[in-house]
Amino acid sequence: MEDTVGYLLALISGLLFGASDSLVRAASAKLKPQQNLIISLLVGTPLIWVTALLLGEPRLSVGGVLAYIVAGLLNFVIGRLLFYYSITYSGATTASILTSPTVAIAALLALIFLGEPLSLRGAAGVLLVTLAVLIASYNPSAKPLHGGKASLGAVAGVAASIVFASTAVLVRAASSIWQADPLYGAAISYTSALPVALAWARGSLKPTEDNKRHLYYMVSAAIIVALAQVTRYYALSTLSVAKATVLIFLYPFFTLFFSSIMRSVTGERPRPIHLIAASLAVIGIFLVEYG
């Protein structure tokens, strides 16, 4: 039963990530990545704490707390900021595909540093994910905003995937080794990232008639991504990283779907090539995890 809940939550997490990515793109028409990051943490932190206090168990240890703090600084400051740059410069659909190397990178790091074997099917999966990233890099799903370049968006997306790969391992370690509660862990991660984000604020979030609607988009995205992170942390605490990751990383399909139906506000123009790239990424992730 617990595994069934974990599978369901991992799938829901991917769905929520896709919806949030599309709303971030809509907000980015007027808001910059740093502003989007601040809003996501200001809105998400109290929401996640309320969820943890209502549904979580205060089961924490020094090792678990430290792991969640580091995961928060990496995932919710560095990784999320890079990802928002990718969305801004390359489009939400392309950015979601660009982060798919997370699984492949983790497998390669395990091969290099831990000596864990990589099967032929796993190697084929790495190649498929790499091909998906190359396709996405040369086919941005939307025009760059704020004077950025699509090439920078591609670099930011791949860099974000490296950060996300490391935090997935930290979250799993916090729950499996130190038996830390995932909901409290998500709250600690958000809280550790918030002061760093606030250092960037400096009055940049004052609403104007010009950006008020886009602030609403970003607040909605922040609520949704906070719920996505809660379900992601819980899924990683109940399932293996492999099982949870495969379902969570279906989100390029969800992002493509939401971006398409919201194209009037996202400026996204996903094409069949993006569906092909997303399919290659998901198949590659499956082969890496189950090769």
Side-chain angles (χ1 to χ4, degrees):
M1 180 61 181
E2 192 171 6
D3 273 3
T4 302
V5 172
Y7 287 126
L8 180 61
L9 289 176
L11 188 60
I12 291 173
S13 178
L15 179 66
L16 293 174
F17 277 127
S20 175
D21 293 351
S22 301
L23 285 166
V24 171
R25 173 66 191 188
S28 297
K30 293 293 182 181
L31 301 177
K32 294 182 179 180
Q34 295 94 328
Q35 294 173 309
N36 290 336
L37 174 67
I38 295 163
I39 296 170
S40 73
L41 293 174
L42 280 174
V43 174
T45 300
L47 177 62
I48 287 185
W49 270 112
V50 169
T51 305
L53 291 171
L54 290 176
L55 302 176
E57 300 177 11
R59 190 177 66 249
L60 297 167
S61 63
V62 174
V65 169
L66 289 175
Y68 280 126
I69 289 174
V70 174
L73 293 173
L74 290 173
N75 196 89
F76 300 131
V77 178
I78 300 173
R80 183 171 288 183
L81 183 59
L82 287 168
F83 184 55
Y84 285 173
Y85 268 108
S86 187
I87 289 176
T88 301
Y89 293 163
S90 297
T93 302
T94 292
S96 68
I97 298 168
L98 290 170
T99 56
S100 59
T102 296
V103 177
I105 291 167
L108 290 174
L109 289 174
L111 172 67
I112 295 169
F113 294 106
L114 302 177
E116 294 185 4
L118 184 65
S119 69
L120 286 176
R121 283 202 297 179
V126 171
L127 290 176
L128 285 179
V129 170
T130 303
L131 179 58
V133 169
L134 288 173
I135 292 173
S137 298
Y138 286 100
N139 294 277
S141 56
K143 294 181 179 180
L145 301 173
H146 305 296
K149 295 182 179 179
S151 58
L152 291 178
V155 172
V158 174
S161 72
I162 297 173
V163 177
F164 294 152
S166 62
T167 58
V169 176
L170 279 172
V171 169
R172 181 61 181 168
S175 60
S176 61
I177 298 175
W178 294 292
Q179 304 299 310
D181 181 77
L183 295 181
Y184 274 86
I188 290 169
S189 292
Y190 258 70
T191 304
S192 68
L194 182 58
V196 179
L198 287 175
W200 278 321
R202 307 195 181 222
S204 62
L205 292 180
K206 293 179 181 178
T208 65
E209 290 302 320
D210 190 43
N211 71 9
K212 192 174 292 184
R213 178 165 57 96
H214 299 85
L215 282 172
Y216 294 150
Y217 287 145
M218 193 58 219
V219 168
S220 300
I223 294 171
I224 293 172
V225 79
L227 296 175
Q229 289 296 344
V230 168
T231 53
R232 171 180 175 261
Y233 272 44
Y234 193 91
L236 285 167
S237 72
T238 57
L239 302 173
S240 69
V241 173
K243 292 177 180 178
T245 300
V246 166
L247 290 174
I248 293 169
F249 271 84
L250 288 173
Y251 87 89
F253 287 127
F254 298 130
T255 304
L256 190 153
F257 171 73
F258 286 117
S259 294
S260 296
I261 64 175
M262 295 171 58
R263 65 175 59 191
S264 62
V265 293
T266 62
E268 294 270 319
R269 293 293 183 269
R271 306 189 303 277
I273 192 68
H274 295 108
L275 179 60
I276 292 171
S279 301
L280 290 174
V282 171
I283 294 171
I285 289 168
F286 180 84
L287 290 175
V288 170
E289 295 291 21
Y290 290 99

